[in-house]
Amino acid sequence: MKKWLRSLSGKQIKLGLSAGICAILFLILTGVIALLAGAQAEQRVARRWSSEKDVAQVSCFFSPNAEITPDSIESFEHSLDNALKEASIEQESPNPGARLWADAYSADGTITLSTDKGSVQADALGIGGDFFLFHQLQLLSGSYFSGNDLMQDYVILDRDMAWQLFGSVDVAGMLVNIAGSPHMVIGVVERPDGRLHEAAGLDGPRVFVSYGTLEAYGKSGGINHFEIVMPNPVKQYALNYVREQLGSQEREVEVLENSSRYGIGKRLRMLMDFGTRSMNGKAITYPYWENVARGYEDILALLTLFQMLFLIYPSGVLLVWIVILWKNKTWTAKTVFVALQDRLLLVRDRRKEKGRSGKKREKKSWLDDDPEDSIKFRLDKKKKKKEQRLQRKIEKEFQTEAKKTVRASRKEK
């Protein structure tokens, strides 16, 4: 190793070091990308639902003109059950409560809540289905509720809302009034913070209510988000099915698959679409979680660009090094084949020798073992190996000299 390093020039050493640093930076960026992508829990529901990668998470975003209603969602659910049944896709879990799919829908709006301490008008999200399966916000007290519950008079407050209405976060079980109708606070959550979340729309108090409560007592433009995790027996089966059933009005609906949105293929496609990706000709307002997800898409695409740049340089250096070695090679395919053949024969002989020595040991009793014989056997074995190595070295030197002689004779001619 030291001899090889001494044979390198200063320029070669500099190139090697710079290529090594770029390779290390490439590996660091690879880890950072994997870490950031893995931290987006709202985009990884499919992995939580099934570890066998046989399901997909699909999201739909609607404009107000799409006129999606709970009846539309219910009709879609019935058609999905029939389609899965026709495709012979059945639940194989022994758990009687296991499901093949789960979905949720929601609507943005505003609503006013009041208590004895005063009233607050806040951004509201009217939910239906298993919303908190997809969005597992940190609970400070209480629990979640489902949009499928028979009782629809539950609310979940964020920390700021709870303090403004009650002066505490431990308020599960207390009542708030919404347009004179009492609703029970079932839980309090921590609102995600940070630059991206604030820019995405989480910059003020927020309350989660049932979709029916928002429609009856608040203001909203109707259902504008739908999410589902469902079987995906073949690639894009789930995406295409949802698109056919709910995305027929192309200008009013956007459908995407969340399961693979941070994959290398999607990130490279984003780089190719740089400059046009942000253009949107649809009257669709994204919810805060989708805005955050799109923000991370931009960040990961930029990191991927640097990752590619750091990979190109060491790859180029390695390619040049391989070309140089190839041009100055002192071996041929024939010599490599002969060397491999010799190596295989040597390994086979060693195995045979070990097998014979093992059989001899088994036949001999431990009472018959002679220390002098064993020492002599080991010395003979070492001597034999030494002679074999010397013979191979002489043969290689002879081949090298023969090649030099042939080359010299060719030059003289």
Side-chain angles (χ1 to χ4, degrees), residues 18-31:
S18 58
I21 291 171
C22 286
I24 291 171
L25 290 173
F26 166 78
L27 294 175
I28 291 173
L29 284 176
T30 301

Side-chain angles (χ1 to χ4, degrees), residues 4 67 71 78 96 119 129 137 145 147 159 166 172-173 186 208 211 227 251 268 335 375 378 405:
W4 178 74
E67 297 181 350
D71 291 337
H78 287 309
S119 63
L137 301 171
F145 71 92
R159 180 195 290 270
F166 298 100
I186 196 171
F208 299 88
Y211 176 74
E227 305 163 273
R251 292 190 61 84
L268 292 176
T335 57
I375 292 170
R378 287 197 294 270
T405 304

Side-chain angles (χ1 to χ4, degrees), residues 44-274:
R44 298 170 65 85
V45 179
R47 297 202 178 192
R48 298 203 306 267
W49 189 261
S50 173
S51 59
E52 298 181 2
K53 298 183 179 180
D54 55 351
V55 298
Q57 178 187 356
V58 180
S59 295
C60 298
F61 307 101
F62 308 105
S63 75
N65 296 329
E67 297 181 350
I68 300 296
T69 65
D71 291 337
S72 305
I73 303 297
E74 187 175 354
S75 176
F76 167 82
E77 293 170 346
H78 287 309
S79 67
L80 176 60
D81 283 331
N82 293 330
L84 294 177
K85 189 174 181 180
E86 290 176 3
S88 299
I89 300 174
E90 299 178 353
Q91 180 57 257
E92 298 178 355
S93 173
N95 184 355
R99 296 177 291 170
L100 278 172
W101 54 267
D103 65 352
Y105 59 90
S106 52
D108 289 314
T110 58
I111 203 167
T112 301
L113 289 77
S114 61
T115 63
D116 296 339
K117 292 188 176 182
S119 63
V120 178
Q121 184 177 18
D123 292 333
L125 203 65
I127 67 170
D130 295 301
F131 179 84
F132 292 105
L133 169 70
F134 294 86
H135 308 281
Q136 296 181 340
L137 301 171
Q138 180 186 350
L139 277 168
L140 300 177
S141 65
S143 61
Y144 299 127
F145 71 92
S146 171
N148 296 324
D149 292 341
L150 293 176
M151 299 294 292
Q152 295 288 298
D153 55 352
Y154 294 134
V155 299
I156 290 179
L157 311 176
D158 68 8
R159 180 195 290 270
D160 291 345
M161 195 74 164
W163 274 100
Q164 290 183 40
L165 291 173
F166 298 100
S168 172
V169 296
D170 191 15
V171 296
M174 295 187 179
L175 297 177
V176 295
N177 288 313
I178 301 178
S181 176
H183 285 66
M184 180 185 293
V185 178
I186 196 171
V188 177
V189 296
E190 184 72 76
R191 187 172 73 243
D193 58 0
R195 184 176 64 87
L196 279 181
H197 285 87
E198 290 177 3
L202 290 178
D203 54 354
R206 182 172 289 267
V207 60
F208 299 88
V209 298
S210 68
Y211 176 74
T213 294
L214 182 63
E215 285 293 294
Y217 306 113
K219 296 179 181 179
S220 79
I223 296 173
N224 48 358
H225 329 123
F226 173 75
E227 305 163 273
I228 186 169
V229 57
M230 59 175 285
N232 192 44
V234 295
K235 190 176 181 180
Q236 293 192 335
Y237 171 85
L239 177 66
N240 292 332
Y241 183 82
V242 175
R243 185 173 285 155
E244 289 173 6
Q245 297 296 320
L246 295 175
S248 55
Q249 304 178 53
E250 189 173 344
R251 292 190 61 84
E252 310 299 337
V253 182
E254 183 172 345
V255 184
L256 61 88
E257 184 178 335
N258 307 68
S259 312
S260 59
R261 73 183 304 168
Y262 295 133
I264 181 64
K266 294 288 181 68
R267 286 184 273 128
L268 292 176
R269 198 172 298 119
M270 282 186 61
L271 290 174
M272 299 296 292
D273 294 338
F274 183 78

Side-chain angles (χ1 to χ4, degrees), residues 243-412:
R243 185 173 285 155
E244 289 173 6
Q245 297 296 320
L246 295 175
S248 55
Q249 304 178 53
E250 189 173 344
R251 292 190 61 84
E252 310 299 337
V253 182
E254 183 172 345
V255 184
L256 61 88
E257 184 178 335
N258 307 68
S259 312
S260 59
R261 73 183 304 168
Y262 295 133
I264 181 64
K266 294 288 181 68
R267 286 184 273 128
L268 292 176
R269 198 172 298 119
M270 282 186 61
L271 290 174
M272 299 296 292
D273 294 338
F274 183 78
T276 60
R277 175 182 181 271
S278 300
M279 299 180 184
N280 184 11
K282 301 177 182 180
I284 294 174
T285 302
Y286 296 117
Y288 72 83
W289 60 85
E290 178 60 18
N291 283 327
V292 171
R294 291 171 69 85
Y296 274 104
E297 279 183 334
D298 293 336
I299 292 171
L300 294 177
L302 182 61
L303 291 178
T304 301
L305 176 61
F306 285 111
Q307 187 186 31
M308 292 170 61
L309 293 175
F310 285 130
L311 180 62
I312 289 171
Y313 179 71
S315 299
V317 172
L318 179 62
L319 182 61
V320 170
W321 180 67
I322 291 173
V323 170
I324 292 172
L325 287 179
W326 179 262
K327 287 182 177 179
N328 298 320
K329 70 181 189 299
T330 58
W331 48 268
T332 63
K334 186 177 180 180
T335 57
V336 171
F337 177 75
V338 170
L340 288 173
Q341 198 173 28
D342 291 342
R343 183 67 180 172
L344 290 172
L345 289 172
L346 181 62
V347 171
R348 189 181 66 181
D349 292 342
R350 285 179 179 176
R351 286 180 178 175
K352 285 182 178 179
E353 188 177 340
K354 285 182 181 179
R356 289 172 190 155
S357 61
K359 288 179 181 178
K360 287 179 181 178
R361 289 195 197 99
E362 288 176 2
K363 290 178 181 179
K364 287 178 65 178
S365 170
W366 65 275
L367 293 172
D368 298 330
D369 286 344
D370 189 350
E372 292 182 1
D373 290 344
S374 62
I375 292 170
K376 185 180 178 182
F377 175 77
R378 287 197 294 270
L379 289 173
D380 290 342
K381 191 175 180 180
K382 286 183 180 179
K383 186 178 178 181
K384 189 176 181 181
K385 287 183 178 179
K386 189 174 181 181
E387 289 175 354
Q388 289 176 347
R389 285 198 296 269
L390 182 61
Q391 185 178 358
R392 288 197 298 271
K393 185 177 180 182
I394 291 170
E395 289 176 356
K396 287 183 180 178
E397 289 177 355
F398 177 77
Q399 290 178 358
T400 304
E401 290 297 328
K403 288 180 182 178
K404 287 182 180 178
T405 304
V406 171
R407 287 176 184 170
S409 62
R410 287 178 179 175
K411 286 182 179 179
E412 289 176 1

